[in-house]
Amino acid sequence: MANQFQLFKHRRFSAMFFTQFLGAFNDNVFKQALILVLTYTAASQLGMEVSILNNLAAMLFILPYFLFSALAGQIADKFEKSKLTQFIKLLELIIMAIAAVGFVFEWYGLLFVALFLMGTHSTFFGPIKYAYLPQAMKEDELVGANGLFQMGTSLAILLGMIIAGVLTQLSQSLYWISATVLIIAVLGYLAARYIPMMPAVQPHLKINWNIITTSLTTIRYLYSLPFLFFVILGNSWFWFYGATFLTQTPEFSKVILHGDESVVIFLLTLFSVGVSIGSLLCKSLTKNQVSLRLLPFGIAGLSIFAIDLYFSLSGLNIDVNNATLLGVGELFAMNSSWRVFADLFFLGFSGGLYIVPLYASMQAYAPRSHRARIVGANNIFNAIFMVTSAIFAIVVLNTLGLTLPQLFLVTGVLNLAFGAFLYTKLHKHVKNAVMQTHDDIVP
């Protein structure tokens, strides 16, 4: 296919694209709105530290990925995917109704319950959407479809955060937030109704409902497929890397750039647009082939621009009078800030070149009968790496006493070491993965 955007003409792609886009969008509108409400309203009402409430919120959203990802993978392999997606989107509508009640009546306990349930919803939807693509797409469409999905996810996260910020500034903001998340959930359900039937790959699978043993079994099975194991380690490293940078963006925007809230959104936009462009280019650069040839460029870019971000931030000399925070336009007028902006954009761009080949490889080389369970294992590792990212940042910044630019430098150097290790392992095992895929081995 000459142009990946032509995939939108096909219902088999566009219906799932908009379903996943609206799901990620709603996740981030709800999460960010809740964090803002906790920060500016709930903390004082409850007499609790903002950091405690926000970390609790982050933990509750990510906890279902630890608990239910392996189970979600089994269910996605056993059942037909369009009906399963519609059912999950109907649950999202119910969860958002619970959240709306929590917002309107300011019942924060109920909002935390809704947050956990929304994380659970995302956990069960993840294996479906990524196992769906290799079933619905032709071989020469898979890289382009993954590029569009990655672009959609990045933009959905960004737009969700922006819309949440706008909504919380309105009068009667809690009613606006409630109405918005409900409307997005309805649109997501309607989009899911257009997803074509996609046959179950293992309809006779007996589901193990014990979340501990099924998680261990899934990870053990993944470990028996070395290429996929290292692909998923690479995927999860991207989430570690991205979380390390994006979590610190508000702080370095305010403390180092002396920027206001608009600068935070601008920096996140630069990173997200970079990821989107890098993701979309993967199709052309790989000539529609599922290939790891772009991976070294992604690894190199992630390190080069992280290390350069250290130097560009360290070399900044922003003179602020009366502790006034600067807007985007004022920072643009300072030549030294342009290098910071370029570093963030190209960090995102390199991330797109890095992550799309890995996602496409995960889908293409996973045994057909276990594809969704492989995605479930991927989600477990993603969650572990994201939590590790938070611990890593705390240790570097608080225990070791390094600065934010030094955190970025350390992360960039670590990425070189991890990237070299990853590419060596993937190159070693890729031939066996190709052979296993052709034989469609089922343990």
Side-chain angles (χ1 to χ4, degrees):
M1 182 169 287
N3 185 344
Q4 65 219 76
F5 286 99
Q6 292 179 12
L7 286 171
F8 284 108
K9 295 179 180 179
H10 302 285
R11 186 161 63 97
R12 59 191 165 87
F13 175 79
S14 58
M16 182 58 86
F17 176 89
F18 287 111
T19 301
Q20 71 91 26
F21 177 89
L22 289 164
F25 182 46
N26 216 14
D27 271 354
N28 285 277
V29 171
F30 174 54
K31 278 193 302 181
Q32 188 68 10
L34 178 56
I35 286 171
L36 291 171
V37 168
L38 292 175
T39 300
Y40 293 102
T41 306
S44 58
Q45 289 183 2
L46 299 174
M48 296 178 67
E49 292 288 335
V50 172
S51 60
I52 293 175
L53 288 174
N54 285 347
N55 284 322
L56 177 61
M59 183 191 73
L60 283 173
F61 188 81
I62 206 168
L63 183 60
Y65 287 91
F66 286 110
L67 298 178
F68 306 127
S69 285
L71 177 61
Q74 289 185 81
I75 291 172
D77 277 333
K78 181 176 175 64
F79 296 102
E80 192 276 319
K81 291 181 178 62
S82 66
K83 296 298 182 187
L84 188 57
T85 302
Q86 291 166 26
F87 175 72
I88 288 174
K89 288 291 142 183
L90 197 57
L91 290 180
E92 180 186 356
L93 189 53
I94 295 169
I95 294 165
M96 289 297 97
I98 294 170
V101 172
F103 276 125
V104 169
F105 292 99
E106 297 185 54
W107 293 343
Y108 300 114
L110 191 61
L111 285 169
F112 279 127
V113 170
L115 185 65
F116 177 81
L117 292 175
M118 199 61 178
T120 303
H121 154 272
S122 298
T123 300
F124 279 88
F125 181 53
I128 297 172
K129 66 179 180 180
Y130 283 118
Y132 171 90
L133 280 181
Q135 266 190 281
M137 299 297 109
K138 298 173 185 174
E139 186 176 347
D140 66 347
E141 296 172 336
L142 189 58
V143 174
N146 271 280
L148 289 168
F149 259 53
Q150 191 60 48
M151 175 203 73
T153 301
S154 297
L155 295 181
I157 292 170
L158 176 66
L159 288 173
M161 294 175 70
I162 292 173
I163 294 298
V166 171
L167 293 175
T168 53
Q169 299 302 309
L170 300 175
S171 59
Q172 304 294 321
S173 60
L174 297 179
Y175 289 91
W176 280 106
I177 294 167
S178 301
T180 301
V181 295
L182 281 169
I183 290 169
I184 298 170
V186 169
L187 292 174
Y189 174 71
L190 292 176
R193 290 183 63 85
Y194 288 91
I195 297 173
M197 294 280 287
M198 202 57 57
V201 295
Q202 221 175 352
H204 304 298
L205 175 68
K206 184 177 180 181
I207 293 176
N208 177 3
W209 295 96
N210 186 319
I211 59 176
I212 296 175
T213 58
T214 195
S215 296
L216 293 174
T217 300
T218 300
I219 292 172
R220 195 157 45 239
Y221 172 62
L222 173 65
Y223 193 69
S224 72
L225 303 171
F227 178 75
L228 288 171
F229 175 75
F230 288 110
V231 163
I232 284 175
L233 279 187
N235 280 344
S236 300
W237 176 257
F238 177 75
W239 289 102
F240 172 96
Y241 201 86
T244 301
F245 279 82
L246 295 184
T247 303
Q248 317 308 323
T249 300
E251 186 176 350
F252 91 69
S253 173
K254 181 179 180 181
V255 175
I256 301 176
L257 298 179
H258 302 284
D260 60 18
E261 291 87 344
S262 67
V263 174
V264 179
I265 296 300
F266 176 68
L267 297 179
L268 292 173
T269 301
L270 282 174
F271 185 85
S272 299
V273 171
V275 172
S276 300
I277 294 174
S279 299
L280 291 176
L281 281 177
C282 285
K283 174 184 178 295
S284 301
L285 294 173
T286 60
K287 299 179 180 178
N288 290 337
Q289 296 178 343
V290 176
S291 166
L292 296 174
R293 70 180 67 157
L294 292 180
L295 192 62
F297 297 99
I299 292 168
L302 286 171
S303 286
I304 289 168
F305 295 107
I307 294 169
D308 193 67
L309 185 61
Y310 161 75
F311 289 108
S312 60
L313 289 175
S314 300
L316 277 177
N317 184 19
I318 298 177
D319 183 25
V320 181
N321 296 320
N322 303 321
T324 304
L325 293 178
L326 304 174
V328 175
E330 293 166 301
L331 282 172
F332 254 109
M334 302 177 184
N335 291 334
S336 58
S337 64
W338 282 65
R339 185 172 166 187
V340 176
F341 298 156
D343 285 334
L344 277 173
F345 172 82
F346 284 110
L347 267 173
F349 180 84
S350 302
L353 297 182
Y354 174 92
I355 194 63
V356 169
L358 289 175
Y359 267 119
S361 295
M362 179 178 71
Q363 295 161 15
Y365 295 121
R368 182 174 177 272
S369 59
H370 284 62
R371 193 174 279 140
R373 275 166 282 179
I374 293 293
V375 179
N378 177 69
N379 290 342
I380 293 173
F381 279 93
N382 285 353
I384 292 171
F385 273 62
M386 288 175 73
V387 170
T388 305
S389 164
I391 297 170
F392 169 73
I394 290 170
V395 170
V396 170
L397 296 173
N398 298 102
T399 306
L400 300 179
L402 300 187
T403 63
L404 283 175
Q406 288 170 335
L407 170 66
F408 300 149
L409 175 64
V410 170
T411 309
V413 172
L414 282 177
N415 181 70
L416 278 178
F418 179 84
F421 163 79
L422 177 69
Y423 190 73
T424 302
K425 291 294 186 183
L426 291 174
H427 187 70
K428 175 182 176 182
H429 294 293
V430 66
K431 289 183 180 178
N432 288 336
V434 173
M435 291 173 58
Q436 286 180 335
T437 304
H438 288 314
D439 294 339
D440 202 18
I441 293 175
V442 179

